[in-house]
Each structure stands twice: as C-alpha cells, then as structure tokens.
Amino acid sequence: MPDTDPRADRAWLAAAVDLAVRNVAEGGGPFGAVVVVDGALLAEGQNRVTRDNDPTAHAEVVAIRAACASLGEFSLGGATLYASCEPCPLCMASALWARLDRVVYAADRYDAARGGFDDLAFYELFGRDRATWDTRVDAVALDGAVAPFDAWLGKADKVAY
C-alpha cells in the first residue's frame, strides 16, 4: 500500500495544484495531477481538453497515460494519483481501471461546479434513471452481441485486466 504520510500528501497535492495554476496561465483548464510510486514522481498531467480538442484529455487521464507509457504497463498497482480536484467520473473510472492503490485530491466537485465545470452534475446524473438523461442511451438486441466475450473467454493466451 502506498505511503499515507500527511506531509507527503500535502506536498504532492501542492505539486498538482501548481500544475493546474500554471495550466490556467498557459490557456488550459484548472486541473493538474501527478502519479507517484514509492515517494517518487512517475508522471504528471494537466488538463488538455481545449488544447488538444480531446474531451478525455483530463489531467488525471493524461497523467495515467503518461505513467503507463513510462512503465510499459497498463496497471499502476502500487501507485498513488494526486489530483488538484476530486476526479470526475471519467477520471475516477480511469483510476479504477489503472488499478491505482490510492487517489488523493484537494478541491472537490462542489469547487469544480463553482468554477463552471460539470463534475457535480455528472456525479448526480449517474445516480438518476437513464430515461431522464439528455443523452439517450439505448440497448439494442443484436444477434452475436456476446461473440466478442465468447472469443475472449475462449482465448487461452489473453492478458487479463
């Protein structure tokens, strides 16, 4: 399990917040993140949504991608993600898929909402029935829909994740 030293947490969070503030000065969004392993910086990320025209280029996702590329692995077990703000659902899901041991954040979803960001709204949206969403989500019955999973289950040399 990663270190839970409160002084180290504050130092890494300060680094993430500094990345976020610098990103705003450079024309980006107010989010920064760092991935730390064994007390050492592995990767960092800043929000690149508008710079890259990529709605998934959140600071946490950018940091996770860089950390995985650095390690040559898709799993970040043993690592901690420090984020300037509470990860939105996209970023939290990314942290879970990356198998991070820990996520630590400074500002929260209410601070993000005050700044004009949808984090809080999305967290609330996921608690509602999909029929109430502005974006329609439809399941359509299709012959062979489970064929990819059958192929996966039958593959002897698959890499589990």
Side-chain angles (χ1 to χ4, degrees):
M1 183 59 82
D3 186 10
T4 59
D5 174 11
R7 287 179 300 166
D9 285 349
R10 284 191 293 278
W12 289 117
L13 283 174
V17 168
D18 181 59
L19 282 170
V21 171
R22 283 192 286 139
N23 202 45
V24 170
E26 296 166 359
F31 303 95
V34 297
V35 177
V36 175
V37 177
D38 297 327
L41 178 67
L42 176 61
E44 60 184 34
Q46 293 170 300
N47 182 282
R48 297 293 188 219
V49 171
T50 56
R51 187 198 77 179
D52 295 351
N53 294 316
D54 179 353
T56 68
H58 293 201
E60 298 90 336
V61 173
V62 171
I64 288 168
R65 289 174 180 162
C68 289
S70 175
L71 292 176
E73 305 249 348
F74 57 83
S75 176
L76 296 176
T80 299
L81 173 70
Y82 290 93
S84 63
C85 186
E86 178 180 9
C88 72
L90 166 75
C91 295
M92 185 52 66
S94 298
L96 295 171
W97 276 112
R99 308 296 192 233
L100 285 153
D101 281 10
R102 190 166 175 240
V103 175
V104 183
Y105 62 89
D108 64 22
R109 63 184 80 173
Y110 301 97
D111 297 313
R114 187 178 63 79
F117 293 88
D118 292 330
D119 304 49
L120 176 61
F122 288 156
Y123 270 108
E124 291 172 349
L125 177 73
F126 286 126
R128 295 189 348 230
D129 185 301
R130 284 186 184 171
T132 68
W133 293 13
D134 290 337
T135 300
R136 282 183 49 180
V137 179
D138 298 320
V140 176
L142 178 70
D143 289 341
V146 298
F149 297 107
D150 293 339
W152 175 257
L153 290 169
K155 185 168 177 54
D157 62 344
K158 65 181 167 268
V159 176
Y161 60 99

